[in-house]
Amino acid sequence: MTKKFDNTDRQHLISAIEKKFESRLSPVGNRQIYLKNAQNIHFIVIGGIGDWHGIPDDVIESIESVKEKYLVIAIKQIESLKIYYCEMTKFLQSKMLFSGAGNNRYTFNIDEYDTYARIRQAPKVTLELLSEVSYTSSDRETIEENKEIKKVLKKMSPNEIADLLQSLEDK
């Protein structure tokens, strides 16, 4: 496992959220952490190894006007992801308590408990434990391999894909 929470980790997290909410998520704008589903429910999806997290100003500004919105935070464990979430209204009402020391971000720490987490700078903001999903080095390798396969397939013509599928059936 890598030390930093990266896009491969985020992809596993997004898949887990999609399963829990039974809805596919797609990006809003160019930020990988800002997503929405077909019902126009918006999600800020972040993760990390420790308790420190940050959300860029432009994402906060964009999500403020959205009716239904959730913050999802994953904490990467040795062989799992602990996923917490909350509706964002209390978070946004407390946003003045978060500071980004000149880096143009809303930054905060979370403290974990048995079945929930709380934002240290705004204790009224509680995140429920949504789930803890398995996430081993083998899971990570599978995600990375799938990414590579998708890249190759995108470069192939429809005829090349058909030939590939036929050759797989013939085996």
Side-chain angles (χ1 to χ4, degrees):
M1 288 277 176
T2 60
K3 293 261 183 216
K4 188 177 177 190
F5 193 89
D6 62 15
N7 288 331
T8 302
D9 303 328
R10 182 173 284 94
Q11 191 54 54
H12 191 69
L13 170 58
I14 290 168
S15 294
I17 296 167
E18 289 174 336
K19 286 176 189 165
K20 278 291 188 184
F21 284 89
E22 298 177 346
S23 181
R24 189 114 174 95
L25 299 177
S26 59
V28 175
N30 61 356
R31 294 280 189 178
Q32 296 175 14
I33 66 167
Y34 189 26
L35 307 162
K36 71 176 181 175
N37 67 13
Q39 293 76 37
N40 209 33
I41 299 170
H42 286 62
F43 298 83
I44 293 178
V45 178
I46 58 178
I49 303 295
D51 67 348
W52 180 90
H53 299 279
I55 303 172
D57 290 356
D58 63 308
V59 174
I60 293 293
E61 290 165 9
S62 179
I63 205 166
E64 282 183 298
S65 62
V66 174
K67 185 175 181 178
E68 197 168 352
K69 50 197 167 264
Y70 292 92
L71 173 61
V72 180
I73 301 176
I75 306 296
K76 192 172 171 182
Q77 310 289 314
I78 293 172
E79 292 197 344
S80 67
L81 287 178
K82 273 183 109 170
I83 306 169
Y84 297 96
Y85 82 110
C86 69
E87 200 284 325
M88 285 197 70
T89 303
K90 282 186 182 175
F91 178 90
L92 293 170
Q93 289 169 348
S94 304
K95 71 180 185 177
M96 67 294 240
L97 300 172
F98 313 128
S99 63
N103 65 1
N104 201 30
R105 294 169 67 90
Y106 290 92
T107 62
F108 54 91
N109 302 85
I110 66 166
D111 296 315
E112 291 184 87
Y113 300 93
D114 286 340
T115 59
Y116 67 97
R118 199 173 264 146
I119 294 183
R120 190 176 304 154
Q121 292 82 349
K124 290 182 182 178
V125 181
T126 301
L127 299 102
E128 294 177 45
L129 180 63
L130 180 65
S131 69
E132 184 167 1
V133 296
S134 173
Y135 188 51
T136 63
S137 57
S138 175
D139 293 328
R140 184 177 168 82
E141 287 171 14
T142 300
I143 293 167
E144 290 173 338
E145 288 168 359
N146 287 344
K147 248 194 276 186
E148 290 303 314
I149 290 169
K150 286 177 185 176
K151 280 183 190 175
V152 170
L153 289 174
K154 283 183 180 179
K155 292 178 184 176
M156 295 174 75
S157 71
N159 287 342
E160 290 172 323
I161 292 172
D163 291 344
L164 174 64
L165 292 173
Q166 185 61 52
S167 71
L168 291 173
E169 281 183 19
D170 293 343
K171 292 186 176 185

